[in-house]
Every structure is written in C-alpha cells, then in structure tokens.
Amino acid sequence: MTSTQTPDNAHTMVQQWREQILNNLSWALVVLGGIALIIGSWADYSAAGERALPYIGIYFLTYLSIVVISLVRRLQAKVRALLLLLVLGAIATFLLVTFGLVGSGRILWLGVNVLALIYFDRLGSIVALIFSLIVMMITAVIYVTGNASFVTPETLAVQDTIEDWAGSIGLYLAINMLTLIPFRYLLQRLEGLAQQATTEAARARLHAQQVEVHAQELEQQTAQLQRTEHMLRNVVQSLETPTVEIADQVLLAPIVGQIDHQRADTLLKRLLSVVSERRVKLIVIDVAGVPAFDTMAAQSLMQTVQALRLIGCEAVITGISPAMAQTITALGIDMKTIATARSPQDVLLRNMM
C-alpha cells in the first residue's frame, strides 16, 4: 500500500513546490515589471516621442495581464503557468521583432523556455524552444530581406546580414542547451529526492504504527502478567493461611512456617476478609506448624486476635508447644488476653459442652 501511495505523494510535493515558485515569480514580475514599465516607457517616450505610445500601450497591456494572472489564484497552477508563458512569449516575440538582435527578446525567450521546462517538463521546453527558433528565423528573414519597415534605419543597418542572424540563432540554441539540460537534470534529482523523502516518511509512519502496536501488545501483556501475579499472590496467600470450616460458623486457620512482618500483615488481612465474608463467630488459629515463636510473632497474633474481636469474632490460639511456651515465658510476653487451647479438637469439645 505504501509503494503505491509514495509516487502520488512525491508528485503532490513537487506540484506544491511548482505552485509556490509560480506565486513568488508572479509577484516578482509584478514588482519588477512595474518598475521596468515606468522606466522603459519614459525612455521610449523621451527617445521617440509620440511614436513610442503604441509600444507603451503594449507594455501596459502585458503588465496588466501579468497582474491579473498573479491575482487569480482559483485557476490551477498549470493553467496560470500556461497563461504566463503565453504573455511572456508574446512580449518576447514583440521585442525580438521590434528590436532584433539588439533587443532583449532572446533573453526573455530563454526564460520562457526554462519556465516551460519547470511546469510542462521536457515536452513543454522542446515546444517552446522550437517555437522561439521559428520566431527568430521568421524575424531574420524579415530583417535580411529589408521588409522591417517598422524598424529604424540605424537598427536595421547593423543586423541585415544572414551571417549575423545565423550566428545569433546558433548562439541562442547553444545557450538554451547549456541552460535547459542541467536544469532538467536538477528537476529530475528534485523529483527523486521528493520521492525518496516521501518513501522514508511512509516507512517512518509504518514503523511508528508498528511500534505503537507493539507497545499496546506489551501493555496488554503487562496487564495480563499483573492480573496473573495478583491471582498467584492470592493463591499463595490462600495456601500460606488456609481456612477450613470445622463447625457451624467456626473456622480453623493452621499457620505453617515462620511469621515475619510481611506474612503477619498478610495473615491479618486474610483472616479479617474471610471472617467478614463468612460471618464467622469463632476462629481457631493453630500455630503447631510455626518453627520458632518470638516477640514479633506473639505481638502479631495478639494484634490479629484484637482485630478479629473488633468485628465480632472470637479467636483461640492452639498448638503452642512446650518449647514455644518456654520461649514466651522467657521473653516475658503477656498472653493473658488471648484464649488458648491444646488443640482444635479441645476447642470443639469445649464449645459442645
């Protein structure tokens, strides 16, 4: 999909550049043409008097046409470029026929050929070049045969030989080749760079989309891992502190392994949650599987029992071994507020009695 869209994007980019060049060129012609109109009209009127008025009128109409082309932006760029080429070609022909080899018609025709190459590619420049050569040949015939009655004798006297016109036409053709061929190469390179730029931009967008999709997948995987981790933690917590219903509203919670700060906090949260959900009235916490009983373990159990009482559940500690009892006594831990029993069976028998 990218490969099919890239040439269109490159073509659009080049067209935008051409339109921007046309806009800037049109306004430059408006400004510079206005200055040239004033200076040229004054010079011609000073030299020829009233005979220069037709020329001044032609200059004014040409300038007015350029202004209109610059202001009308609704037309397509190629249509405006074609109109501009026609106006410039007409004034170039007028200057060439009127002033011959001493005028600026050939220079203006060279500019017309370059503009035709920019906006109408190689075919447009070839057509413009051939047309300009035809105009020059016709003008040469007029001048050589002496039929240029509209030209002053002084102007006609220095350019009435076939050698002058043949050499000028050859030089004009050589200058066009030296200008148009490199310019054509530059335009091709410009289009190639535009296509390369759009290709790289398309690849960058595709890569960004792939990165975004990959990031979303990683985010989903991370969320899934977090849910799995949370579930595993719940399973581990359930396995660390299982709760078994041994009578109506009576639960047994056997503790196996060492009790540290983290496990004591987990134990408290789990027992509070289970007791609240099941509306348990009595819970038996069996510590027969705890290998060592220290101050921290005893305080944790006391806090757990007190918290359970606050939500309406009595707790009994069972499974205290002789070694644990000796350790508790040696540490001076007061467990008078905690109900104890030898085993969970003793608690059940006590409740039945």
Side-chain angles (χ1 to χ4, degrees):
M1 181 177 180
T2 303
S3 60
T4 57
Q5 291 182 350
T6 299
D8 294 337
N9 293 336
H11 179 72
T12 302
M13 182 182 298
V14 173
Q15 289 299 111
Q16 291 176 351
W17 291 343
R18 288 174 173 170
E19 185 173 359
Q20 186 175 2
I21 291 173
L22 179 61
N23 294 334
N24 296 334
L25 177 62
S26 299
W27 284 114
L29 289 175
V30 169
V31 175
L32 297 178
I35 298 174
L37 175 63
I38 296 173
I39 296 176
S41 299
W42 178 258
D44 290 349
Y45 186 79
S46 300
E50 295 183 354
R51 291 182 302 172
L53 292 179
Y55 302 115
I56 296 174
I58 294 175
Y59 298 155
F60 179 77
L61 292 177
T62 303
Y63 178 75
L64 183 61
S65 300
I66 295 175
V67 172
V68 172
I69 295 173
S70 302
L71 293 177
V72 179
R73 299 292 181 90
R74 294 183 179 180
L75 297 177
Q76 294 182 357
K78 280 198 171 184
V79 176
R80 293 170 57 205
L82 179 60
L83 293 175
L84 183 61
L85 288 175
L86 292 175
V87 172
L88 294 178
I91 191 63
T93 301
F94 172 76
L95 293 174
L96 183 62
V97 173
T98 304
F99 300 101
L101 298 178
V102 297
S104 58
R106 292 175 297 170
I107 299 176
L108 188 54
W109 262 118
L110 178 61
V112 171
N113 297 336
V114 173
L115 289 179
L117 177 62
I118 294 176
Y119 293 102
F120 298 98
D121 298 326
R122 182 173 55 187
L123 180 59
S125 65
I126 293 175
V127 171
L129 178 60
I130 293 175
F131 191 80
S132 66
L133 289 173
I134 294 174
V135 171
M136 290 190 67
M137 291 177 184
I138 294 174
T139 305
V141 172
I142 294 174
Y143 272 75
V144 172
T145 57
N147 294 322
S149 58
F150 47 85
V151 181
T152 61
E154 295 79 11
T155 303
L156 186 61
V158 297
Q159 48 185 325
D160 58 352
T161 63
I162 189 65
E163 292 80 5
D164 292 337
W165 282 95
S168 298
I169 293 174
L171 181 60
Y172 170 76
L173 184 60
I175 294 175
N176 272 275
M177 294 298 101
L178 291 174
T179 303
L180 296 178
I181 292 177
F183 207 84
R184 170 61 180 170
Y185 174 76
L186 290 177
L187 287 178
Q188 289 178 340
R189 289 294 299 164
L190 179 63
E191 293 178 357
L193 291 175
Q195 184 171 353
Q196 182 179 357
T198 52
T199 300
E200 294 298 330
R203 290 178 180 175
R205 287 194 299 269
L206 179 60
H207 181 68
Q209 292 175 356
Q210 292 176 346
V211 170
E212 184 178 358
V213 171
H214 186 61
Q216 292 177 353
E217 292 178 352
L218 288 178
E219 185 177 356
Q220 293 176 357
Q221 292 177 0
T222 302
Q224 181 64 32
L225 288 175
Q226 290 176 350
R227 289 193 295 269
T228 303
E229 181 182 3
H230 181 70
M231 182 178 63
L232 290 175
R233 285 181 180 177
N234 292 335
V235 172
V236 170
Q237 292 175 2
S238 300
L239 293 176
E240 286 182 348
T241 311
T243 54
V244 182
E245 188 174 359
I246 57 178
D248 185 25
Q249 294 183 330
V250 178
L251 288 183
L252 170 63
I255 301 176
V256 179
Q258 187 65 38
I259 300 177
D260 54 14
H261 289 284
Q262 182 177 0
R263 191 177 182 193
D265 184 64
T266 303
L267 173 65
L268 176 60
K269 292 180 179 179
R270 173 162 175 76
L271 293 182
L272 289 174
S273 176
V274 172
V275 168
S276 177
E277 290 177 359
R278 300 185 183 181
R279 300 182 181 275
V280 177
K281 292 184 178 181
L282 176 63
I283 185 169
V284 180
I285 303 175
D286 187 72
V287 295
V290 177
F293 208 76
D294 54 10
T295 304
M296 195 278 296
Q299 291 177 350
S300 299
L301 287 177
M302 293 173 63
Q303 292 176 357
T304 301
V305 171
Q306 293 172 357
L308 290 171
R309 285 176 179 172
L310 291 176
I311 62 174
C313 177
E314 292 295 329
V316 180
I317 306 298
T318 64
I320 298 177
S321 64
M324 290 182 186
Q326 186 177 0
T327 301
I328 293 172
T329 303
L331 293 175
I333 300 174
D334 186 10
M335 296 188 64
K336 295 179 180 179
T337 59
I338 300 178
T340 59
R342 180 178 299 179
S343 65
Q345 291 81 0
D346 291 345
V347 177
L348 291 177
L349 291 175
R350 185 186 305 172
N351 288 340
M352 291 177 62
M353 295 175 60

